């Protein structure tokens, strides 16, 4: 839990004293990491889902108990965030409000994104489907990424998402062409 507190002070310049105990993002990740997800892993699915629903009611943040979330996860201004059951988030990811990391409703099994380390999701970003988001990626506010992987070290913006920065260089590339950079 101390890692979850440290990440708040690392990422939020407005955090002072023990304010973190008032942060809905802190409540949501603690309920997920230390209660709902362990219950889910013990196959106590009803109880896991009950805890996640209570957390959702309290915080406005819905994290399915099956989602796997790495260390250093930070939710800034948490509200209207959805993270699906088979989503996997790497370490040091930052999520702003109104972000969906979910499924399209058209897949079985792995239905949600797999996200690398050091990924930032801007306000209102929507990332859907069993896709891969690379390491060190920034997904801009209101960006929509559906059914196309995102390579490492890039910035994606727009609806549909386009790569506007790759390995520090400005470019303009539709996500459909990302196989060319791998």
């Amino acid at each position: 839990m101390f890692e979850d507190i440290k990440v708040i002070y690392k990422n939020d310049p407005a955090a002072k004293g023990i304010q973190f105990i008032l942060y809905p993002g802190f409540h949501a990740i603690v309920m997920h990491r230390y209660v709902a997800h362990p219950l889910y892993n013990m196959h106590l699915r009803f109880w896991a889902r009950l805890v996640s629903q209570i957390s959702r009611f309290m915080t406005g943040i819905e994290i399915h108990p099956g989602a796997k979330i790495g260390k250093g996860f930070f939710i800034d201004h948490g509200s209207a965030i959805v993270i699906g059951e088979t989503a996997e988030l790497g370490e040091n990811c930052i999520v702003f409000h109104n972000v969906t990391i979910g499924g399209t409703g058209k897949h079985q099994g792995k239905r949600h994104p797999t996200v690398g380390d050091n990924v930032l999701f801007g306000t209102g970003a929507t990332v859907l489907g069993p896709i891969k988001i690379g390491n060190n990626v920034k997904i801009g506010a209101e960006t929509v990424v559906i059914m196309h992987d995102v390579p490492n070290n890039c910035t994606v913006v727009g609806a549909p998402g386009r790569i506007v920065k790759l390995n520090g260089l400005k470019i303009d590339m539709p996500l459909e062409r990302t196989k060319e950079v791998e």
Side-chain angles (χ1 to χ4, degrees):
M1 187 176 320
F2 294 111
E3 289 288 324
D4 298 315
I5 296 168
K6 277 197 253 181
V7 77
I8 291 171
Y9 291 106
K10 176 184 170 195
N11 289 293
D12 187 353
K16 307 270 189 283
I18 62 167
Q19 273 181 275
F20 69 86
I21 63 172
L22 303 175
Y23 282 33
F26 175 69
H27 297 178
I29 194 63
V30 166
M31 294 285 282
H32 174 77
R33 198 181 301 282
Y34 303 106
V35 186
H37 191 65
L39 288 170
Y40 184 88
N41 288 337
M42 290 187 287
H43 301 284
L44 299 171
R45 304 287 163 88
F46 172 82
W47 299 108
R49 196 72 173 144
L50 178 64
V51 169
S52 76
Q53 291 300 303
I54 291 168
S55 177
R56 176 181 170 217
F57 177 76
M58 289 173 38
T59 65
I61 299 166
E62 181 173 348
I63 304 174
H64 191 285
K68 296 176 183 169
I69 299 176
K71 290 188 260 180
F73 182 67
F74 178 64
I75 296 172
D76 198 2
H77 300 288
S79 182
I81 292 170
V82 177
I83 301 174
E85 177 181 19
T86 63
E88 299 175 46
L89 280 74
E91 295 186 0
N92 305 312
C93 291
I94 299 172
V95 175
F96 285 87
H97 67 280
N98 202 32
V99 168
T100 299
I101 303 169
T104 64
K106 297 180 181 181
H107 299 92
Q108 299 293 317
K110 177 75 168 129
R111 305 180 309 281
H112 304 99
T114 298
V115 178
D117 297 336
N118 308 308
V119 175
L120 181 138
F121 294 89
T123 300
T126 302
V127 181
L128 302 177
I131 60 175
K132 289 187 168 81
I133 307 296
N135 297 316
N136 308 308
V137 169
K138 293 178 183 168
I139 298 175
E142 300 296 331
T143 296
V144 178
V145 179
I146 300 176
M147 300 310 303
H148 294 290
D149 293 347
V150 176
N152 293 332
N153 307 308
C154 71
T155 301
V156 179
V157 299
R162 298 179 66 79
I163 299 172
V164 294
K165 197 172 196 180
L166 179 64
N167 296 318
L169 301 172
K170 290 183 180 182
I171 66 167
D172 185 9
M173 177 187 291
L175 285 173
E176 302 88 63
R177 291 185 45 209
T178 56
K179 296 287 183 211
E180 297 171 21
V181 288
E182 292 177 352

